[in-house]
Amino acid sequence: MRATRLHGPGDVRVDSVPDAALADPTDAVVRVDAAAVCGTDLGFYRGHAPTAPGQRMGHEFVGTVVETGADVTGVRPGDRVIVPFNASDGTCDYCVQGLPISCRNLQVWGMTPGIDGGQGEAVRVPFADGTLVPIPAGTSEQMLPALLALTDVMCTGHHAAISAGVRTGAEVAILGDGAVGLCAVLAARRLGAERIIVFSTHEDRAAVAKQFGATDFVSARDQAAVDGLLHLTQGRGVHHVLECVGTEQSWATALGVVRDGGTIGWVGTPATTGPTLPSLLMRNLTLTGGVAPVRAYLPQLLGDVLSGALDPSPVFTMVTDLDGIAGAYREMDSRTTLKALVKP
Amino acid sequence: MRATRLHGPGDVRVDSVPDAALADPTDAVVRVDAAAVCGTDLGFYRGHAPTAPGQRMGHEFVGTVVETGADVTGVRPGDRVIVPFNASDGTCDYCVQGLPISCRNLQVWGMTPGIDGGQGEAVRVPFADGTLVPIPAGTSEQMLPALLALTDVMCTGHHAAISAGVRTGAEVAILGDGAVGLCAVLAARRLGAERIIVFSTHEDRAAVAKQFGATDFVSARDQAAVDGLLHLTQGRGVHHVLECVGTEQSWATALGVVRDGGTIGWVGTPATTGPTLPSLLMRNLTLTGGVAPVRAYLPQLLGDVLSGALDPSPVFTMVTDLDGIAGAYREMDSRTTLKALVKP
């Protein structure tokens, strides 16, 4: 079959690889109907994170079950499924507790050695019953982009908002106008936030944020960004900050705009060590978040997507096929496009 | 009047200083009936934290109002009062919100320049209405130690437990067997924790912890401490950790025993930068806490002390007068005594 591999910084190629095939009785083989390129993929592409030689790429995909192992009971061939960005067994203490991202048997598409990536024709899915979420038969094909967004970015934005304790009437600041930050806007609105302040210096992204429910914008960086938010809030700052970037700069802004006693819900893969305890001591700030437990959030958010209450599909600004994937990485790398959808 | 001052590491003396006197119409003058020596005082005494030359010492005290400014309406001369370890105006946005430790006019006894310390005969209390909590007339003199504990250590242990989200049935680990750690045991029990695991290598402190409600003990340090707790919990670790020390060692233990998705409620003045964001990313840990908003907790905890439901008085293992204060510091420094009560 054909699958995307990274051969070095900036060098993604579609290669011939062994067909995805059942290995364990709890496996399923899923044909990829649509995959996405993620900011994490870009980190590998840019050489910011270590990769294995010829690493398989892609961890966001929606597909159709083509074969199941003898022990699989939750899905059948022909089922359209959402695949969270990681496999989880569904039975360990963390899965049962609702934290499948800490699954004792966690495996991440492309990143765990021997595990297929999502930017290819098919994927062997370990722990199919614990991992896959079936989409009701008859769901419109037009829903595919919104469903694809649930595999990572929508649930990750939701995780930031849930972690930060966003609720009805909340005043929220969101760092990051990429797909996750934009999904965090949707999530904050869904949770009833009254004021959603987005930092963005890109007009096109700010336009999506506005469509998603952002109420205020700060178009500045560094101290000017902090000053901008403080001006908007009469000097108060905000109680809830969703940190969806992970740089030293974005953390400095987050710490500058959060009120004492407030919460920073962070999901941006950190490229900084973050604040020190002594700097937090007198401020009673809460830092919470991390990698989203997507599988735990899926049932509820899927329901909202299917009902039409939630539509993250505008985060996709480009559609291509496998042959176009190198171009998709290039356009995302240069920020010419926000997020690419790939139909193998 | 006489008051305790620090003249350099290990050099506390009782000196003659100007009498405490009203300066602003919102002030009260409070005669100190009982003061305590705190771990923070010890930090100054040991030279671990910078001090001003001749810095006034002591921020935990209970006293009697002797004079009030023209604008004070909440207390009258003769009232016995609890004094939180900081003055707060009671009217700013943070005070109104319930976070008086972030008061826009915060002043801390002894530490803020020009503000009296508690280990002396009397103190000028700014913002008397915002700061002081009257104790009902007729309260037994025997209650004094328990009431004194409310000025800092009991509320600080409570803050660790509240921040960590301890509730009925919780399994909690507590780092620190000093006065704050022991009060955290009381607080966790008060909040309904079912299992309270205390790390202690001191038999006398473990005995107080047991009296306060600790159910399990780990008498080890470093990796052996982590292993000990994991053994007690069948490898699970605990969801709630109360960090009441602040050293690199205690934080390493805290991070070793907390379950993924768990919360570290920390109140130990940090002598370490703490965990980095990348180390937290995959674990979804919540770090929360800081300096306790004592004034906000006082009404509820005072009620429990007065009813007899809460008694932190056993944290005091020594009683002395001002002439004995240098000895009190020495005995706490050498850990011969847990916490000293000083009657000026």
Side-chain angles (χ1 to χ4, degrees):
Chain A
M1 68 178 194
R2 301 175 75 216
T4 306
R5 301 204 299 174
L6 183 70
H7 292 275
D11 184 8
V12 282
R13 299 182 214 158
V14 180
D15 294 332
S16 274
V17 300
D19 282 352
L22 299 178
D24 294 312
T26 49
D27 288 352
V29 172
V30 171
R31 185 187 72 226
V32 177
D33 297 326
V37 182
C38 175
T40 311
D41 297 329
L42 272 191
F44 293 131
Y45 179 83
R46 290 169 174 163
H48 296 171
T51 50
Q55 178 169 308
R56 298 285 193 87
M57 295 300 288
H59 53 270
E60 304 180 358
F61 62 104
V62 169
T64 302
V65 176
V66 292
E67 200 181 356
T68 55
D71 294 350
V72 175
T73 59
V75 293
R76 293 183 302 185
D79 284 353
R80 175 64 70 82
V81 287
I82 299 187
V83 191
F85 68 74
N86 59 280
S88 50
D89 61 24
T91 57
C92 76
D93 57 336
Y94 279 124
C95 283
V96 168
Q97 174 194 319
L99 195 67
I101 191 64
S102 289
C103 173
R104 304 284 180 181
N105 288 299
L106 183 80
Q107 297 175 59
V108 183
W109 318 117
M111 299 183 210
T112 303
I115 298 295
D116 297 315
Q119 293 160 7
E121 291 181 325
V123 170
R124 174 179 76 86
V125 174
F127 306 109
D129 282 343
T131 303
L132 299 173
V133 177
I135 302 163
T139 298
S140 160
E141 202 67 13
Q142 293 188 316
M143 284 278 189
L144 212 57
L147 297 168
L148 180 59
L150 290 177
T151 63
D152 183 343
V153 289
M154 184 62 229
C155 288
T156 297
H158 179 67
H159 188 49
I162 288 281
S163 298
V166 174
R167 50 181 171 268
T168 306
E171 202 166 43
V172 183
I174 297 179
L175 275 303
D177 60 1
V180 171
L182 294 171
C183 286
V185 174
L186 271 181
R189 188 185 60 178
R190 181 179 171 278
L191 292 166
E194 199 162 275
R195 194 169 194 193
I196 302 174
I197 305 169
V198 169
F199 294 86
S200 180
T201 53
H202 300 91
E203 273 183 32
D204 52 339
R205 298 179 179 208
V208 179
K210 187 162 194 179
Q211 176 186 352
F212 281 2
T215 57
D216 299 83
F217 294 89
V218 177
S219 177
R221 293 171 183 275
D222 302 319
Q223 188 56 43
V226 173
D227 294 343
L229 183 133
L230 293 178
H231 178 74
L232 282 174
T233 58
Q234 288 76 48
R236 286 191 315 272
V238 294
H239 194 79
H240 312 274
V241 174
L242 315 189
E243 205 296 315
C244 307
V245 184
T247 60
E248 193 171 332
Q249 184 189 42
S250 66
W251 270 93
T253 307
L255 292 163
V257 302
V258 67
R259 279 176 69 75
D260 285 8
T263 300
I264 300 176
W266 63 278
V267 297
T269 304
T272 174
T273 53
T276 65
L277 295 176
S279 75
L280 300 170
L281 178 69
M282 289 302 295
R283 298 195 62 197
N284 275 284
L285 297 179
T286 298
L287 307 189
T288 180
V291 176
V294 168
R295 180 62 183 82
Y297 292 139
L298 273 180
Q300 194 178 16
L301 295 186
L302 173 58
D304 278 16
V305 165
L306 293 174
S307 76
L310 182 68
D311 180 15
S313 67
V315 298
F316 292 106
T317 49
M318 167 180 184
V319 178
T320 184
D321 58 15
L322 271 183
D323 292 324
I325 195 141
Y329 273 83
R330 272 196 304 275
E331 293 205 30
M332 282 180 63
D333 183 39
S334 64
R335 297 185 182 246
T336 327
T337 203
L338 177 59
K339 192 172 178 71
L341 184 153
V342 183
K343 291 195 167 183
Chain B
M1 67 176 194
R2 300 175 75 217
T4 304
R5 302 203 298 174
L6 183 69
H7 292 275
D11 183 9
V12 281
R13 300 182 214 159
V14 179
D15 293 332
S16 274
V17 300
D19 283 351
L22 299 179
D24 293 312
T26 50
D27 289 350
V29 172
V30 170
R31 185 188 71 225
V32 177
D33 296 326
V37 182
C38 175
T40 310
D41 297 329
L42 272 190
F44 293 131
Y45 179 83
R46 289 169 175 162
H48 296 170
T51 50
Q55 178 168 308
R56 298 285 191 89
M57 296 300 289
H59 52 270
E60 305 179 357
F61 63 103
V62 169
T64 302
V65 176
V66 291
E67 200 181 355
T68 55
D71 292 351
V72 175
T73 59
V75 292
R76 293 184 302 185
D79 283 353
R80 174 66 69 81
V81 287
I82 299 187
V83 191
F85 68 73
N86 59 278
S88 49
D89 62 23
T91 56
C92 76
D93 56 337
Y94 280 124
C95 283
V96 169
Q97 174 192 321
L99 195 66
I101 192 64
S102 289
C103 173
R104 305 284 178 181
N105 288 299
L106 184 80
Q107 298 176 60
V108 183
W109 317 119
M111 300 184 210
T112 303
I115 297 295
D116 297 315
Q119 293 159 8
E121 291 181 325
V123 169
R124 175 178 75 87
V125 173
F127 305 110
D129 283 342
T131 303
L132 300 173
V133 177
I135 301 164
T139 299
S140 158
E141 202 66 15
Q142 291 187 318
M143 283 277 189
L144 211 58
L147 297 168
L148 180 59
L150 289 177
T151 61
D152 182 344
V153 289
M154 183 63 229
C155 288
T156 297
H158 179 68
H159 188 50
I162 288 282
S163 299
V166 174
R167 50 179 171 266
T168 306
E171 202 166 42
V172 183
I174 297 178
L175 274 303
D177 59 1
V180 170
L182 294 170
C183 286
V185 175
L186 272 181
R189 188 184 61 177
R190 180 177 172 280
L191 292 167
E194 200 162 273
R195 195 170 193 192
I196 302 173
I197 305 170
V198 169
F199 294 86
S200 180
T201 54
H202 301 89
E203 275 184 31
D204 52 338
R205 296 177 179 210
V208 179
K210 188 162 192 179
Q211 175 187 351
F212 281 2
T215 58
D216 298 84
F217 294 88
V218 178
S219 176
R221 292 171 184 276
D222 301 319
Q223 188 56 44
V226 173
D227 293 344
L229 183 134
L230 293 178
H231 177 74
L232 281 174
T233 58
Q234 287 77 48
R236 288 191 313 273
V238 294
H239 194 79
H240 311 275
V241 174
L242 315 189
E243 207 296 316
C244 308
V245 184
T247 61
E248 194 171 333
Q249 184 189 42
S250 66
W251 269 92
T253 306
L255 292 162
V257 302
V258 68
R259 280 175 69 75
D260 285 8
T263 300
I264 300 176
W266 63 279
V267 295
T269 305
T272 174
T273 51
T276 65
L277 295 175
S279 74
L280 300 170
L281 178 68
M282 289 302 294
R283 299 195 62 197
N284 274 286
L285 298 179
T286 298
L287 309 188
T288 179
V291 176
V294 169
R295 181 60 184 82
Y297 291 140
L298 273 180
Q300 195 178 14
L301 295 186
L302 173 60
D304 278 16
V305 165
L306 293 175
S307 77
L310 182 68
D311 180 15
S313 66
V315 299
F316 291 105
T317 50
M318 169 180 184
V319 178
T320 186
D321 58 16
L322 270 184
D323 292 325
I325 195 140
Y329 273 83
R330 273 196 305 275
E331 292 203 31
M332 283 181 62
D333 183 39
S334 64
R335 294 183 184 251
T336 326
T337 204
L338 176 59
K339 192 172 178 71
L341 184 154
V342 183
K343 290 195 169 185

